[in-house]
Amino acid sequence: MPRNAFLALMVAAFLWLPARPQAPPGARAIEIWHGDRQRVGHLGDAQDDFNLMGRVRPWREVDTLSWKLGQGGEFPLSFRAHRRLVNDGDFNADIPVLRLEPGPNLVTITARFLDGAELTRTVTVVREAGARPLPVRIRWKEVRDPQDVGQYVDGWWGIGEAGLRTRQTGYDRVFLIGERSWRDYEVRTSITIHRVDPETSPVSGGNGVGVILRFAGHATG
């Protein structure tokens, strides 16, 4: 039995749901995955950060990309493909949960382009106080928003006919279920492989899928 652990569903390269572009090709845009209003804490404490993910386009025209919380200072965002970022233009803001005030928080993503133009997109992140006591049973066909039952960490996710699926394959697509207070539990689940990518990125180590325990968040640096 695992101890002092919670559950993370890690999909490396093969559960795939077709992605629908959110902006016309070539148009300058900041796309936010999973909606302009998201929440954290309603299912307890899963990890130190809240992850806000999306894509900036066209990335070749971007000089800098950053995020800020409220009227606070800006923090730089990577937008070139490497490890957690599958494609150029993708971004993932690791926002410390302790920086979020109870209730609604405004997070602004700012893209500054090489020609001096600037584009912003503001998202509301609601910090709630909740818990996720055991036992937990998830019926995916009854879930409308995956954030109602877990927490996005990496990747663009969605609900398909077969349940939770990633819209983008790549290195360590991670979705968390549970909280850090969980002790001594058993995991029962089923995983369907819809497609296997013939090639993976150099950092992935090959295709893989499974459940990982004691996920403590991604290391920086």
Side-chain angles (χ1 to χ4, degrees):
M1 290 283 189
R3 296 186 60 84
N4 194 24
F6 57 100
L7 167 65
L9 174 64
M10 180 180 69
V11 182
F14 30 65
L15 300 184
W16 177 76
L17 194 67
R20 296 183 294 273
Q22 299 181 13
R28 289 183 174 179
I30 298 173
E31 299 176 359
I32 300 296
W33 297 338
H34 313 126
D36 286 332
R37 187 178 181 89
Q38 302 186 35
R39 56 183 179 152
V40 66
H42 55 295
L43 299 174
D45 177 21
Q47 64 169 11
D48 291 339
D49 296 327
F50 170 80
N51 293 99
L52 182 65
M53 292 162 285
R55 178 181 298 138
V56 61
R57 61 171 62 186
W59 66 269
R60 293 182 185 276
E61 299 178 13
V62 176
D63 184 22
T64 63
L65 189 68
S66 64
W67 70 270
K68 72 174 183 179
L69 178 61
Q71 299 301 314
E74 294 187 4
F75 295 87
L77 277 173
S78 298
F79 58 94
R80 296 298 301 273
H82 178 67
R83 298 182 73 83
R84 297 170 66 191
L85 305 180
V86 174
N87 296 316
D88 290 324
D90 293 356
F91 63 83
N92 188 336
D94 292 304
I95 303 172
V97 174
L98 291 179
R99 289 179 176 265
L100 298 172
E101 298 290 339
N105 296 262
L106 297 182
V107 178
T108 302
I109 306 295
T110 300
R112 294 181 174 87
F113 294 87
L114 295 171
D115 63 3
E118 184 175 295
L119 184 64
T120 64
R121 181 82 177 263
T122 300
V123 179
T124 299
V125 178
V126 182
R127 182 180 176 187
E128 304 176 11
R132 190 65 161 161
L134 290 168
V136 169
R137 182 176 183 180
I138 299 173
R139 297 178 177 88
W140 287 109
K141 62 182 179 181
E142 299 175 3
V143 176
R144 300 185 63 181
D145 182 353
Q147 208 168 59
D148 290 340
V149 296
Q151 182 173 336
Y152 307 109
V153 176
D154 285 294
W156 186 13
W157 296 83
I159 291 288
E161 293 182 359
L164 181 68
R165 298 180 65 179
T166 180
R167 297 182 182 274
Q168 178 197 54
T169 59
Y171 176 85
D172 281 12
R173 309 293 82 190
V174 179
F175 184 84
L176 296 185
I177 297 171
E179 56 179 322
R180 288 193 255 209
S181 64
W182 282 9
R183 301 288 190 277
D184 294 336
Y185 58 90
E186 180 180 64
V187 177
R188 295 183 181 180
T189 188
S190 61
I191 296 173
T192 301
I193 299 176
H194 298 271
R195 192 189 77 183
V196 177
D197 288 343
E199 296 182 2
T200 61
S201 69
V203 300
S204 72
N207 290 305
V209 63
V211 174
I212 59 174
L213 304 173
R214 299 183 179 179
F215 181 78
H218 288 281
T220 59

